[in-house]
Amino acid sequence: DAPAWPTTGLDDLDKMLGGWPRGQLSVLAARPAMGKSAAATCAALKAAQRGTATLFFSLEMVGEQLGARLLTDLAFTRDNPIAYEDILHRRIEGEYIRRRLNEARQLLRNLPLRIEEQRGLTMADIAVRARKAANEFDRHGSKLDLIIVDHMLLVRASSRYAGNRVREVAEISDGLATLASELD
């Protein structure tokens, strides 16, 4: 039996990995502007659509950008896609498009997806908010199964290693790994 790990949002990657490993830190890395935030958003959405209680920390994108990405994915059709930029710049024309976006918005409201949008969070802030979200999901009969932080290098390090970026990143990654283990 394959482990019941949350989906990565990509079927081929799920076949290779089995999904995001429980209780572990997984890092999606690539050069700038290669689509890491888009992949993270897609993974969060796909996991939530499959019933996985998901917490998404957006340390880079503002809520409007993140919402536009999520709505674009939810309202996607091959024959008439809605461009992310069109939502951001409010270039939405036609009743059909507005109806699809309203349906997508309603779907998004009903998903087990919680979004924390704030820049400059520390590891302690993330841990407190993650524990609070886990308790809220527990009260509603589900378990927080996936936490996504977009992106790790924007977590504000403590002053302990101020100026030593290698040590700061190690402290952040260790904090995230510890939180993953604690919350499974």
Side-chain angles (χ1 to χ4, degrees), residues 50-129:
R50 292 185 185 174
T52 301
T54 303
L55 175 59
F56 189 96
F57 286 94
S58 181
L59 307 181
E60 184 172 37
M61 287 187 285
V62 296
E64 188 175 19
Q65 293 170 311
L66 185 58
R69 279 192 192 271
L70 293 168
L71 290 176
T72 298
D73 279 358
L74 283 169
F76 179 80
T77 62
R78 289 192 191 282
D79 60 330
N80 194 2
I82 302 170
Y84 165 72
E85 293 81 13
D86 288 346
I87 295 174
L88 274 182
H89 301 303
R90 293 174 170 61
R91 293 188 302 244
I92 304 303
E93 297 178 13
E95 186 57 35
Y96 173 66
I97 300 294
R98 279 195 250 311
R99 184 171 33 85
R100 281 177 46 209
L101 287 174
N102 284 333
E103 289 170 1
R105 195 173 292 119
Q106 190 59 42
L107 283 172
L108 186 58
R109 281 189 191 114
N110 294 324
L111 292 176
L113 175 63
R114 179 169 171 190
I115 297 169
E116 290 281 342
E117 173 224 335
Q118 186 174 339
R119 293 173 184 247
L121 293 178
T122 64
M123 202 44 242
D125 297 329
I126 289 171
V128 165
R129 291 176 186 204

Side-chain angles (χ1 to χ4, degrees), residues 19 55 90 102 120 131 160 164 168 184:
L55 175 59
R90 293 174 170 61
N102 284 333
R131 288 181 193 111
R160 182 177 183 189
N164 185 334
E168 289 176 344
D184 190 34

